[in-house]
Amino acid sequence: MVDYTQTTKTISLDKHGIKNAKIHYQLSPNQLHDITIEKKQGVQVSSGALAVNTGEFTGRSPKDRFIVKDEITKDRVWWGNINIPFEPDTFDKLHDKVVNYLSEKEIFVRDCYACADENYKLNIRVINEYPWSNMFANNMFLRPNESELETFSPEWNVINAPGFIADPEEDGTRQHNFAILNFTKKIALIGGTGYTGEIKKGIFSALNFILPVFKNTLPMHCSANIGEDGDTAIFFGLSGTGKTTLSADPNRRLIGDDEHGWTNENTVFNFEGGCYAKVINLSEENEPDIFNAIKSGAILENVILDKNGEVNFEDTSITQNTRVSYPIDHIDNIQVPSIGKNPKNIFFLTADAFGVLPPISKLTPAQAAYHFISGYTAKVAGTEAGVKEPQPSFSACFGAPFMPLHPAKYAEMLSKKMKEAGVNVWLVNTGWTGGPYGIGTRMKLKYTRAMINAVLNGDLGLYDYDHYHIHSVFGVAQPRTCPGVPTSVLSPRATWNDDQAYYKTAFKLSNAFRENFKKFESYASEEIRRGGPQRYAF
Ligand code: ATP
Ligand code: MN
């Protein structure tokens, strides 16, 4: 394992209000790996990676995510059930309780930063109760070198105390766990949950406010990679739609798998220094880059091991959201530093559980704006008894839970940048084909990759009637043929073998789009409104 920055520097946490703690500052990943095992908080798997259980929470808890309503945020944030306000005084009291809780304890502190572009660098200090959470911070944020560390001055602080249990009555929280952003104090305060994703998405949410408000830069919930000719591609999508999977492409250099900024200097940069991949059903054959990244230095979360320490990626007995984090250099083909030029192609990934959207289609600029504001994917009912219908789920900007501003703000910025850069926008259905969830099957990863490659290699032909068919319900342009993909797969209707059932379901989805878009109608131009589905159920 690479031992990143070693330092003899020592720090005090007095100014954070944490007293007499036994501070482990900037330990190497090796040390944190060993300490985690010594403390029986994790085990080493056969590939050398560390495996931990994150405890009660194995995913984010969006209902317990708050933003302190203060001078900076009160008139800027889009308040509601996504951005839930929290009183400054209540925050101060809870913050005091958390730092008291951490005082006298053994704690793990790491200085790191976000944003690969020097001009946007955000210095972060992460203070963790657990060694593996601190190792996660090392994997996911950017790692300062020794000289940067000498003069390091943290701007934002992440205080992460999974063992701290809040009292909702007294602390103003919804329940015992919380993740609260305070833009005046520049603190992300996380307690009662050990799910590591809260740490990275806390800073992501902060940047989603800071960059558009103060730096005129568009933050995006997307992955990004670069081809041999230097052409950048970005992939937007909600959780589970394939951002991490599809950006790991051996023929293209990875910029990042989840969070990027698009500057006015025509560049795209990664916020992070690592990847956080889903590992459910992971196989070396289908996803070799991610599979091989799971080595010493990586942290697996909530997976099940056999007696030889081999991971069983099919086993979802703890959660479907099994994960691995690793520093980006665990992937062979990466862009260093993690910066690319303006994208040439933008992919909107959606896992359509109705199985009615084409596996790939080209969008007009108006359709692109419409689909970005809508942020459609589908949540499958899964194992819940009696629930058979997939639920459409709309999440503006393909990342509403992390976007403090009104979606129109990000959409306007994106539309403008797309126009200036002259990008092509594609809607990719990585979800169901041949019928809805329960009847059809998930689109083969092999086919999705082939479709994306065809776009990137310019193999889909001219944008004309000979090469594209306009979908009668959604109005998007679906290619008639694509190298490496059976032609029948390209037409979702053809895969169903039941036109009536297909159209009935397609109308169900187009109606859901229309219903969802109502709340944005007053913000959208006539042109954008017409970017939605063309036909609705009677
Ligand atoms: P998050 O925002 O939570 O990190 P993500 O968009 O990065 O989510 P991935 O981690 O890439 O999502 O998850 C996609 C999952 O779907 C993977 O487990 C992948 O193996 C699976 N999958 C199955 N079929 C496809 C397909 N056709 N395209 C993409 N992914 C697919
Ligand atoms: Mn991902």
Side-chain angles (χ1 to χ4, degrees):
M1 183 189 321
V2 189
D3 257 346
Y4 295 94
T5 320
Q6 290 287 336
T7 183
T8 50
K9 186 173 158 179
T10 56
I11 55 155
S12 150
L13 293 179
D14 288 355
K15 71 167 187 280
H16 300 280
I18 300 173
K19 309 227 170 59
N20 304 319
K22 178 165 187 268
I23 303 170
H24 295 285
Y25 177 64
Q26 214 75 5
L27 296 190
S28 72
N30 264 326
Q31 289 169 309
L32 292 166
H33 173 115
D34 292 346
I35 294 170
T36 301
I37 291 171
E38 266 165 40
K39 289 186 181 298
K40 303 207 179 330
Q41 293 180 9
V43 294
Q44 184 171 314
V45 309
S46 56
S47 73
L50 178 68
V52 301
N53 287 345
T54 59
E56 181 190 355
F57 291 92
T58 56
R60 285 179 304 99
S61 186
K63 288 190 179 138
D64 301 297
R65 211 282 311 242
F66 305 92
I67 297 178
V68 174
K69 193 168 188 176
D70 55 23
E71 282 308 307
I72 297 179
T73 58
K74 74 176 191 332
D75 297 328
R76 292 184 168 116
V77 166
W78 188 42
W79 302 106
N81 54 10
I82 294 173
N83 297 303
I84 310 162
F86 206 80
E87 287 300 322
D89 291 347
T90 318
F91 177 88
D92 291 346
K93 285 193 200 116
L94 180 55
H95 175 257
D96 282 350
K97 275 175 79 172
V98 176
V99 297
N100 269 331
Y101 169 83
L102 292 173
S103 295
E104 318 274 339
K105 282 204 165 55
E106 189 178 1
I107 57 173
F108 301 84
V109 182
R110 141 158 271 109
D111 287 338
C112 46
Y113 65 99
C115 301
D117 186 323
E118 281 291 318
N119 299 325
Y120 299 87
K121 204 168 175 181
L122 182 81
N123 282 350
I124 305 165
R125 172 163 291 171
V126 186
I127 300 171
N128 301 104
E129 181 179 1
Y130 299 144
W132 46 271
S133 323
N134 196 247
M135 187 172 160
F136 175 84
N138 177 74
N139 284 355
M140 296 308 299
F141 293 118
L142 289 149
R143 295 159 284 275
N145 62 32
E146 224 171 316
S147 72
E148 286 171 321
L149 210 54
E150 278 310 309
T151 54
F152 191 94
S153 134
E155 185 178 344
W156 268 74
N157 294 288
V158 178
I159 303 175
N160 173 237
F164 176 91
I165 300 300
D167 171 357
E169 291 273 292
E170 187 181 311
D171 300 324
T173 54
R174 185 182 73 104
Q175 49 176 39
H176 61 282
N177 62 302
F178 53 88
I180 312 172
L181 289 177
N182 185 326
F183 284 89
T184 299
K185 305 215 154 146
K186 301 186 175 178
I187 294 173
L189 187 66
I190 302 164
T193 169
Y195 184 61
T196 54
E198 299 280 9
I199 299 172
K200 85 173 211 109
K201 285 299 200 309
I203 290 297
F204 183 46
S205 302
L207 285 165
N208 288 335
F209 181 85
I210 296 165
L211 293 178
V213 171
F214 301 116
K215 308 247 176 173
N216 207 8
T217 282
L218 173 68
M220 306 177 290
H221 187 216
C222 70
S223 60
N225 64 21
I226 309 188
E228 266 161 30
D229 302 339
D231 65 297
T232 303
I234 63 181
F235 305 82
F236 283 94
L238 289 162
S239 184
T241 55
K243 291 184 298 302
T244 300
T245 302
L246 298 168
S247 60
D249 175 340
N251 298 316
R252 299 176 60 84
R253 300 191 296 282
L254 180 66
I255 304 178
D257 81 326
D258 200 51
E259 310 172 1
H260 293 81
W262 189 351
T263 71
N264 280 344
E265 296 95 57
N266 303 330
T267 59
V268 168
F269 67 86
N270 190 359
F271 294 170
E272 302 182 284
C275 303
Y276 192 39
K278 282 181 180 285
V279 296
I280 180 172
N281 299 329
L282 183 73
S283 70
E284 184 169 18
E285 191 194 348
N286 285 339
E287 298 180 63
D289 298 274
I290 293 171
F291 189 91
N292 292 314
I294 307 177
K295 56 186 183 184
S296 177
I299 312 172
L300 287 155
E301 296 178 7
N302 305 314
V303 294
I304 302 290
L305 310 179
D306 69 12
K307 58 181 186 313
N308 303 319
E310 296 268 352
V311 183
N312 179 353
F313 291 110
E314 273 78 49
D315 194 329
T316 55
S317 49
I318 299 179
T319 175
Q320 303 246 336
N321 189 31
T322 51
R323 292 269 179 174
V324 62
S325 69
Y326 46 83
I328 194 164
D329 55 32
H330 280 211
I331 298 283
D332 287 336
N333 200 6
I334 58 172
Q335 171 75 9
V336 184
S338 307
I339 307 176
K341 297 209 186 75
N342 267 358
K344 267 199 169 157
N345 288 287
I346 295 183
F347 297 92
F348 292 163
L349 308 175
T350 175
D352 174 24
F354 291 114
V356 293
L357 287 176
I360 189 154
S361 54
K362 195 170 194 293
L363 305 184
T364 64
Q367 288 171 340
Y370 181 94
H371 280 276
F372 184 70
I373 295 172
S374 300
Y376 167 69
T377 195
K379 277 184 192 152
V380 292
T383 48
E384 226 175 289
V387 183
K388 294 202 179 75
E389 305 272 286
Q391 289 298 316
S393 162
F394 294 91
S395 180
C397 314
F398 297 106
F402 325 116
M403 302 295 168
L405 307 180
H406 191 281
K409 173 79 188 161
Y410 305 100
E412 267 166 35
M413 289 178 88
L414 182 70
S415 284
K416 187 164 170 278
K417 298 187 100 45
M418 288 193 305
K419 262 184 210 136
E420 285 165 6
V423 288
N424 291 312
V425 184
W426 308 84
L427 184 65
V428 179
N429 174 10
T430 65
W432 275 258
T433 177
Y437 172 79
I439 297 173
T441 53
R442 185 105 192 236
M443 186 67 57
K444 282 200 170 87
L445 184 53
K446 186 172 81 172
Y447 294 157
T448 301
R449 287 200 203 277
M451 291 181 245
I452 286 170
N453 284 337
V455 166
L456 295 172
N457 299 332
D459 289 342
L460 288 184
L462 291 176
Y463 186 39
D464 61 16
Y465 179 83
D466 286 345
H467 298 89
Y468 288 86
H469 161 79
I470 302 298
H471 193 282
S472 61
V473 177
F474 300 106
V476 298
Q478 94 196 19
R480 296 183 189 276
T481 59
C482 173
V485 184
T487 300
S488 59
V489 172
L490 296 172
S491 161
R493 183 184 54 77
T495 66
W496 278 52
N497 290 320
D498 181 345
D499 282 9
Q500 215 183 342
Y502 174 78
Y503 282 113
K504 210 174 148 203
T505 310
F507 285 139
K508 213 192 257 182
L509 179 57
S510 69
N511 282 343
F513 265 104
R514 181 166 60 177
E515 204 44 49
N516 173 68
F517 204 78
K518 279 185 181 153
K519 57 182 176 289
F520 301 120
E521 246 157 27
S522 59
Y523 299 92
S525 65
E526 173 63 25
E527 191 199 357
I528 293 175
R529 287 204 294 272
R530 276 202 301 241
Q534 305 296 295
R535 283 168 62 198
Y536 302 97
F538 312 104

